[in-house]
Amino acid sequence: MKILGVTACPSGVAHTYMAADAIKRACEKAGIECKVETQGSIGVEDEITVDDLKDATAVILTTNMPIKNADRFAEIPKVKMDAGTIIRAADSIVGKIKDQLG
């Protein structure tokens, strides 16, 4: 199982990285491979590649602002919610993905 994530917020700083860290920690606790791309004021970091997409089980996307190139996730189950919810409930979100798609 592999979960991808893309986080972004209007200011491009705090919530972007806090949500990314929350997803990574939750996946690590659950024993799930993950990769999280951040889209912030300094640009795109840890960009998700075509190879990453090949074996992805699901993708978590923040909804605070439009995600660039979101069409690349068309064939992957998506969880969309605001960064604050992801920060607070990452363990639960990852657990639900694992239960439903694992």
Side-chain angles (χ1 to χ4, degrees):
M1 172 171 259
K2 181 177 185 178
I3 295 176
L4 302 176
V6 182
T7 62
C9 71
S11 64
V13 186
H15 284 98
T16 299
Y17 295 102
M18 290 168 65
D21 288 341
I23 293 167
K24 290 175 189 176
R25 282 193 313 273
C27 285
E28 185 177 334
K29 282 190 222 174
I32 297 171
E33 179 183 358
C34 82
K35 180 173 182 179
V36 182
E37 172 181 305
T38 56
Q39 297 182 2
S41 58
I42 60 173
V44 175
E45 295 178 300
D46 299 319
E47 187 169 4
I48 291 171
T49 67
V50 173
D51 284 338
D52 295 323
L53 295 169
K54 289 179 185 174
D55 57 352
T57 306
V59 61
I60 301 170
L61 303 170
T62 55
T63 58
N64 300 72
M65 60 183 292
I67 297 294
K68 296 174 185 142
N69 302 314
D71 57 324
R72 60 192 153 151
F73 306 114
E75 304 299 318
I76 301 170
K78 288 168 259 331
V79 173
K80 297 179 179 180
M81 57 188 54
D82 67 274
T85 301
I86 292 170
I87 293 164
R88 288 187 306 275
D91 289 338
S92 176
I93 296 162
V94 168
K96 286 180 183 177
I97 292 170
K98 186 175 183 179
D99 290 346
Q100 293 179 6
L101 301 174

